[in-house]
Amino acid sequence: MTNFSLAVHGGAGTILKSKLTDALESKYHAGLRCALDAGYVVLAGGGSALDAVAAAVCALEDEPLFNAGRGAVFTSEGKQEMDAAIMDGATRAAGAVGGIFGPCNPILAARAVMDRTDHVMLIGPNALQVARDAGVAFADTDYFFTQARWEALQSTLQMRAGGIEDDDPARRHGTVGAVACDGNGTVAAATSTGGMTAKLPGRIGDTPVIGSGTFADNETCAVSGTGHGEVFIRYTAAAEIAARMRHAGQTLEDAAHHVVMHDLAENDGSGGLIAVDAKGTITMPFNCEGMYRGMVTQDGDFQTFIYR
Ligand code: ASP
């Protein structure tokens, strides 16, 4: 048996350290801890990595502080469009949804695509239908709305109109994700996001793109990314980590470090990721000020972090 482990992230677009109050800091730590608890219960009960990452991501989607599910950011037209993906490292089965609105937990819509269709990614009305048929709970705009994200959209639009670059990552983006290795040495990844504030309607980021923001393969690793999605897609961030392990014999830590600190950082790809291999080793590199993140190993050592 492998010692199981689990890592979660609540996005690399952290609030600037200078603006973080003690009360808010505690809320972020509590949100991460709640997600770790949800996944840990599954793994400790002998459940699969796949079920554990789904449970952890549901908890993060339910917490309005994070940009996924409830609390997702708004498009330039003031709507919410969510992306999510889940992947099983044992079979390489994967499911993803792009640009959806309605399911309280977009990750469960992605899981429904994986479990109930022959396809990997669905968008549009049929993505919602598959989720409905799977019994996924839906909610209306009031449930998903948060004043903070709405105000972030207004200031981003104002800055854009004035030709000012938005340099506050917390306002710009965020994402949630989880990776796990279960007692059988199977890994899985799940990622869910509202995307980037004031994105164009119809824009899909790296989150649901298998091999970019989400990936899992028992031979190498499971990865969930967060950051500037366009760069993660162009540098196939998650697949590149797996390729370095597979073809160059690199460790998880070296491969992930190279992708985050070089491929992404040197190409305007601010962000980070969490990754685990089939021995349960976890790494959580990021190239920006902070990344909401946490991990727990089989011994029940829970840890959560925001900055370095
Ligand atoms: N990667 C996400 C996206 O581009 C945003 C983020 O993680 O901050 O949609």
Side-chain angles (χ1 to χ4, degrees):
M1 289 294 276
T2 309
N3 279 344
F4 68 73
S5 58
L6 167 75
V8 300
H9 71 77
T14 53
I15 194 161
L16 297 174
K17 203 167 185 175
S18 51
K19 292 192 185 161
L20 186 69
T21 61
D22 288 349
L24 194 53
E25 182 168 358
S26 316
K27 279 192 186 170
Y28 278 111
H29 283 288
L32 292 166
R33 174 63 197 248
C34 176
L36 287 173
D37 284 339
Y40 185 85
V41 166
V42 174
L43 293 168
S48 67
L50 194 67
D51 288 342
V53 294
V57 166
C58 282
L60 293 162
E61 288 174 333
D62 292 345
E63 168 52 71
L65 278 178
F66 300 114
N67 171 20
R70 189 174 198 187
V73 301
F74 291 93
T75 68
S76 58
E77 292 185 351
K79 302 264 167 57
Q80 288 161 304
E81 297 181 354
M82 302 173 205
D83 303 336
I86 188 161
M87 186 164 183
D88 180 358
T91 58
R92 285 215 191 196
V97 287
I100 63 163
F101 179 84
C104 298
N105 295 108
I107 200 65
L108 297 182
R111 179 84 189 254
V113 172
M114 175 178 141
D115 288 346
R116 300 168 75 98
T117 79
D118 293 332
H119 308 301
V120 168
M121 193 190 292
L122 287 182
I123 63 165
N126 203 41
L128 297 181
Q129 193 55 48
V130 168
R132 249 184 228 109
D133 292 346
V136 173
F138 277 56
D140 58 16
T141 46
D142 289 353
Y143 172 80
F144 294 101
F145 180 90
T146 54
Q147 191 61 32
R149 297 296 185 194
W150 184 254
E151 282 165 16
L153 172 65
Q154 304 317 315
S155 32
T156 301
L157 292 177
Q158 266 165 25
M159 277 187 271
R160 206 176 262 179
I164 302 164
E165 180 84 18
D166 186 355
D167 62 353
D168 183 344
R171 187 166 44 224
R172 280 211 328 250
H173 53 97
T175 280
V176 308
V179 294
C181 174
D182 63 28
N184 295 320
T186 279
V187 298
T191 317
S192 178
T193 190
M196 298 180 78
T197 300
K199 66 185 180 182
L200 283 180
R203 178 263 190 188
I204 307 280
D206 59 311
T207 296
V209 178
I210 299 302
S212 292
T214 305
F215 184 71
D217 169 27
N218 280 3
E219 297 299 312
T220 52
C221 58
V223 179
S224 171
T226 169
H228 191 165
E230 279 69 12
V231 185
F232 278 65
I233 294 174
R234 291 195 283 115
Y235 285 82
T236 58
E240 178 65 19
I241 296 171
R244 285 178 168 274
M245 293 174 73
R246 185 188 300 274
H247 302 298
Q250 291 190 351
T251 62
L252 174 74
E253 196 171 10
D254 288 351
H257 183 270
H258 184 95
V259 168
V260 171
M261 301 304 175
H262 296 281
D263 296 357
L264 297 175
E266 290 163 12
N267 293 289
D268 196 26
S270 135
L273 53 84
I274 53 174
V276 68
D277 66 18
K279 291 193 211 94
T281 315
I282 286 173
T283 189
M284 307 193 284
F286 55 98
N287 61 29
C288 43
E289 184 169 326
M291 177 167 82
Y292 303 114
R293 63 201 186 282
M295 58 180 278
V296 61
T297 44
Q298 185 157 329
D299 50 19
D301 181 17
F302 289 84
Q303 298 182 68
T304 57
F305 312 91
I306 302 180
Y307 305 102
R308 289 199 185 283

